Amino acid sequence: SDLRKRVERGELLQPLSFASLVLCSVLLYLKVSLMDPGFVTPEEEVEVDHFTNGRVCMVIPPVPSPVKMRRCGYCMVQQPMRAKHCQLCQRCVRRYDHHCPWIENCVGEKNHPLFIVYLSVQLVVLLWGGHVAWSGLYFEQSWDWLQHNIFLLISFLLIIIFTIVVLLLLVSHLYLISCNTTTWEFMSHHRISYLRHSDTENPFDQGIILNLWRFFC
């Protein structure tokens, strides 16, 4: 492959860069899968009551008048706006997006930006890995060629499939972020009270630039 030829010529910059990118992808995966996605804790309810009694105003999204804040029927905590109970994690998650089986964790308020970074790095690794696999392929119409290249060919096809999956996932998340909505809100708009009773389709949308700025910064 292209990387192997560079190693044999003593050109180690690209192979080391590729290995570093793969390592970065693995570390990001571990970080996103193990970190707190924004679980709602009972202690937060006590803190909110304390601040309210002390007349400290908290900045919260506008809530339509028919909507009432409710207590979770599973973990019995007061759910903040845009929070949802995850049946797999058995916890309520702030700004719940979805439970990702890929990382075996929820994607929520705290780890959603890092999840986007992870997807971006993973996409670069897959594209680079696809290029490396393609550079090692030479096509001949013979059984011997297939025997010697079957694993490389399968690897290349798997990389293509995973690249398409990651690309579609990244593009869909960036679109939802630019609209300041979540996967859960997008898929279940008709079942969510604060969206169903809202005068606008998305009461949280403040324009693409401001939505992206508030999400990443």
Side-chain angles (χ1 to χ4, degrees):
S1 68
D2 178 59
L3 286 184
R4 184 174 180 178
K5 291 176 183 177
R6 291 179 180 275
V7 171
E8 291 173 351
R9 292 198 300 264
E11 301 175 6
L12 299 179
L13 180 60
Q14 279 201 16
L16 288 176
S17 299
F18 180 71
S20 300
L21 202 61
V22 172
L23 179 61
C24 179
S25 173
V26 173
L27 293 177
L28 281 171
Y29 171 83
L30 293 174
K31 177 67 175 176
V32 174
S33 61
L34 296 176
M35 73 181 294
D36 177 6
F39 292 127
V40 181
T41 60
E43 290 78 9
E44 293 179 15
E45 191 173 341
V46 177
E47 291 178 6
V48 170
D49 291 339
H50 172 72
F51 287 139
T52 305
N53 294 333
R55 297 185 179 181
V56 178
C57 295
M58 299 183 67
V59 179
I60 59 174
V63 184
S65 55
V67 179
K68 295 181 179 180
M69 302 301 288
R70 67 186 185 91
R71 187 174 294 276
C72 177
Y74 296 97
C75 53
M76 301 308 295
V77 297
Q78 190 76 27
Q79 280 190 339
M81 180 66 69
R82 310 186 79 177
K84 181 184 181 295
H85 184 86
C86 176
Q87 298 284 2
L88 296 174
C89 293
Q90 295 297 311
R91 302 279 297 275
C92 283
V93 181
R94 286 180 171 275
R95 201 180 183 279
Y96 176 87
D97 189 86
H98 71 289
H99 183 93
C100 180
W102 197 342
I103 63 174
E104 269 302 313
N105 193 12
C106 281
V107 176
E109 185 178 73
K110 289 187 178 180
N111 65 347
H112 199 172
L114 200 61
F115 181 73
I116 298 300
V117 175
Y118 163 68
L119 287 179
S120 303
V121 173
Q122 190 66 51
L123 181 61
V124 175
V125 169
L126 286 168
L127 290 172
W128 198 344
H131 169 72
V132 171
W134 179 259
S135 67
L137 286 172
Y138 58 95
F139 295 96
E140 295 179 4
Q141 294 183 350
S142 66
W143 178 249
D144 290 336
W145 176 88
L146 186 61
Q147 283 184 317
H148 286 90
N149 293 272
I150 183 66
F151 291 110
L152 186 59
L153 188 60
I154 292 174
S155 299
F156 178 74
L157 294 176
L158 286 175
I159 288 173
I160 293 297
I161 293 172
F162 283 123
T163 300
I164 294 173
V165 172
V166 173
L167 179 61
L168 291 176
L169 191 60
L170 180 61
V171 169
S172 64
H173 272 276
L174 289 176
Y175 168 74
L176 293 176
I177 292 166
S178 67
C179 300
N180 196 1
T181 188
T182 63
T183 303
W184 172 56
E185 291 172 342
F186 182 77
M187 300 295 292
S188 306
H189 187 279
H190 61 287
R191 295 194 291 114
I192 302 174
S193 57
Y194 60 81
L195 294 180
R196 191 171 66 246
H197 296 103
S198 175
D199 294 332
T200 59
E201 184 176 353
N202 181 11
F204 306 108
D205 188 8
Q206 296 179 312
I208 295 177
I209 296 177
L210 192 56
N211 290 338
L212 293 173
W213 175 264
R214 290 195 169 182
F215 181 85
F216 288 106
C217 305

